Amino acid sequence: MAEALEGRRSRRTATLASLAAELGVSRTTVSNAYNRPDQLSPALRRRVLDTARRLGYPGPDPVARSLRTRKAGAVGLLLTEALSYAFRDPVAVQFLEGLALACEDNGSGLLLVPVSPEADDPGAVARAGVDGFVVYSMPDDDDNFHAVLERPVPVVVCDQPTAVPDVDRVGIDDHAAMVDMARHLAGLGHRKVGVLCMRLSTERNDGFASPERQQRARYEVQRRRLAGLREGFAEAGVDWTKVPVVERYDHSESAGASAAEQLLAQHDVTAILCTSDILALGALRHAREAGRLVPDEITVTGFDGVPAAERAELTTIRQPTLDKGRAAGELLLDRGDRQRSRTLLLPTELLARATSGPAREV
C-alpha cells in the first residue's frame, strides 16, 4: 500500500492534452467525457475515463472552468451563526434540507458561509465562489448582507431583512401568527403573561428587554413576533409595558430554562409565551423541575413547529421551514425573464396542544 501511494505521488500528472494524444481523440472529446457525457457514446466515455484513471489525469480543473464559464456551480447560504449551528438547530436543519433539495434538483452545490453575529467581516462574502446567495435571517443593516448586495449575483432573502428593493424574499407573516397566539391565550383567560425571546440585537443581552429595546430590535422577525403579541393582548386590555420580556442571546434549551427561571423569580404569570420552540422546551423543563404543573399552573407556548415540540405536545405556531428552504433555492436558481422581485409568504398554523390551558386565578 505504501509503495502504491508513493508511486502515485511521484507519478507525473497527465494533462487534458496528453490524455487526448494517448487516446487519439480531440481535447473537446475528453472534456465532454466529464462535462457533457451525453455527447459521447457510453463505450467511448468509459474508455476516456479508464485511460484517465490509468494515466493519473484528475479531470478538468474546476477553478479554471469557473473562470472560463463564470459559473461556480454552487449556491451560497449566508447565516449569522457558527457553522455548527446549521447542523444543530432544528429549524436551521429543516431549512438547510429544503435548500439542499432545491440545489439537488438543479444540479448545483451548496456552500455555507457562516459569519459571526458579533463581528462584521465581509471578507467571507467576497471570497465565496458562488453563483448566488440565499441570505438566512440576517439582522438589519448587517455589513455582510450589504457585501452580498454588492456582488453581481442574484440574492434571495429568507425571513429578514424585508425592506430590500429588487431582492426576492421568502418568509411568513410572523406578526399575524403571534396575534393569533395572543388571541388564543387571551381566550383562555390569560392576562398576566411573560415572554421569552431570541436575541434582539448583535450586542449581547441576557436579561429583561424594555419596550424600547423591543421596538429597536435589529432582528426583524423577533420585532414582528413581539409586536404581534402586543397587538393581540392589547385587544384583551393588557398593558404591554407591564408584560415582562426576557431576552436570550444564545438559542438553546438551556437558555430557555434560565430565562424562564429569571422570569418566574420576579413575576407571577399564568403563561410564558416564547418566540421559538427551543426556548419553550427549555421553559417547560424549568417549570417541571420547579414543580410547576403544565398547564394547570402555567401555560407554555412556542413558535416553529419542530419535531421535539410535537413530542412534548407543545402549543406552538407551525411554520413550513423545509418548504421555506426549498422555495428560497427555487427562487434563486429559476431566475427566468422578469422585471420585478418576488415575495413569497408561506402559511402558518396555530397548534393548540397539551401545554396550554385556562388561566389559574392570581
Side-chain angles (χ1 to χ4, degrees), residues 294-312:
V294 177
D296 295 344
E297 294 183 51
I298 192 163
T299 280
V300 178
T301 69
F303 196 114
D304 286 327
V306 302
E310 182 176 1
R311 293 192 294 271

Side-chain angles (χ1 to χ4, degrees), residues 80-322:
T80 53
E81 299 291 345
L83 181 60
S84 60
Y85 184 87
F87 302 95
R88 182 180 68 249
D89 181 83
V91 176
V93 168
Q94 289 180 334
F95 179 83
L96 187 60
E97 180 181 357
L99 179 56
L101 288 171
C103 290
E104 285 178 5
D105 292 343
N106 189 261
S108 297
L110 180 59
L111 176 68
L112 302 187
V113 187
V115 291
S116 170
E118 298 172 328
D120 290 331
D121 177 19
V125 171
R127 293 189 298 269
V130 296
D131 298 319
F133 282 96
V134 172
V135 176
Y136 183 51
S137 207
M138 301 284 289
D140 296 348
D141 301 323
D142 186 273
D143 285 348
N144 294 286
F145 179 58
H146 289 299
V148 165
L149 296 180
E150 291 172 359
R151 294 277 303 268
V153 295
V155 177
V156 173
V157 169
C158 180
D159 290 337
Q160 58 188 0
T162 61
V164 186
D166 303 321
V167 172
D168 289 343
R169 175 177 173 264
V170 177
I172 60 173
D173 192 334
D174 294 278
H175 181 277
M178 277 305 209
V179 169
D180 289 344
M181 179 64 81
R183 288 171 176 167
H184 172 64
L185 291 198
L188 292 173
H190 293 279
R191 299 295 184 273
K192 297 196 67 175
V193 300
V195 179
L196 310 184
C197 72
M198 296 168 62
R199 75 170 73 115
L200 301 177
S201 172
T202 54
E203 293 79 33
R204 179 177 287 273
N205 175 53
D206 290 309
F208 289 94
S210 67
E212 292 74 24
R213 180 175 176 82
Q214 297 168 38
Q215 293 171 12
R216 296 195 314 266
R218 289 185 62 193
Y219 286 89
E220 189 172 352
V221 165
Q222 296 301 300
R223 191 167 69 236
R224 287 176 176 270
R225 291 182 187 178
L226 292 173
L229 291 176
R230 181 175 68 244
E231 178 180 321
F233 278 114
E235 295 175 357
V238 175
D239 181 356
W240 188 257
T241 63
K242 297 180 180 179
V243 174
V245 176
V246 181
E247 177 185 354
R248 281 296 181 267
Y249 188 85
D250 296 324
H251 189 223
S252 65
E253 286 191 29
S254 296
S258 67
E261 182 179 17
Q262 184 176 15
L263 172 67
L264 295 176
Q266 299 187 39
H267 298 273
D268 183 18
V269 298
T270 64
I272 301 176
L273 297 96
C274 304
T275 63
S276 80
D277 284 347
I278 296 300
L279 294 178
L281 291 169
L284 277 177
R285 187 178 75 190
H286 171 73
R288 287 164 177 162
E289 289 175 351
R292 302 283 190 108
L293 296 178
V294 177
D296 295 344
E297 294 183 51
I298 192 163
T299 280
V300 178
T301 69
F303 196 114
D304 286 327
V306 302
E310 182 176 1
R311 293 192 294 271
E313 298 186 83
L314 176 70
T315 292
T316 189
I317 300 290
R318 179 166 60 193
Q319 61 166 318
T321 309
L322 186 145

Side-chain angles (χ1 to χ4, degrees), residues 330-341:
E330 290 173 348
L331 280 178
L332 185 76
L333 294 165
D334 183 21
R335 303 305 299 168
D337 181 19
R338 43 189 185 78
Q339 304 300 317
R340 295 185 300 180
S341 59

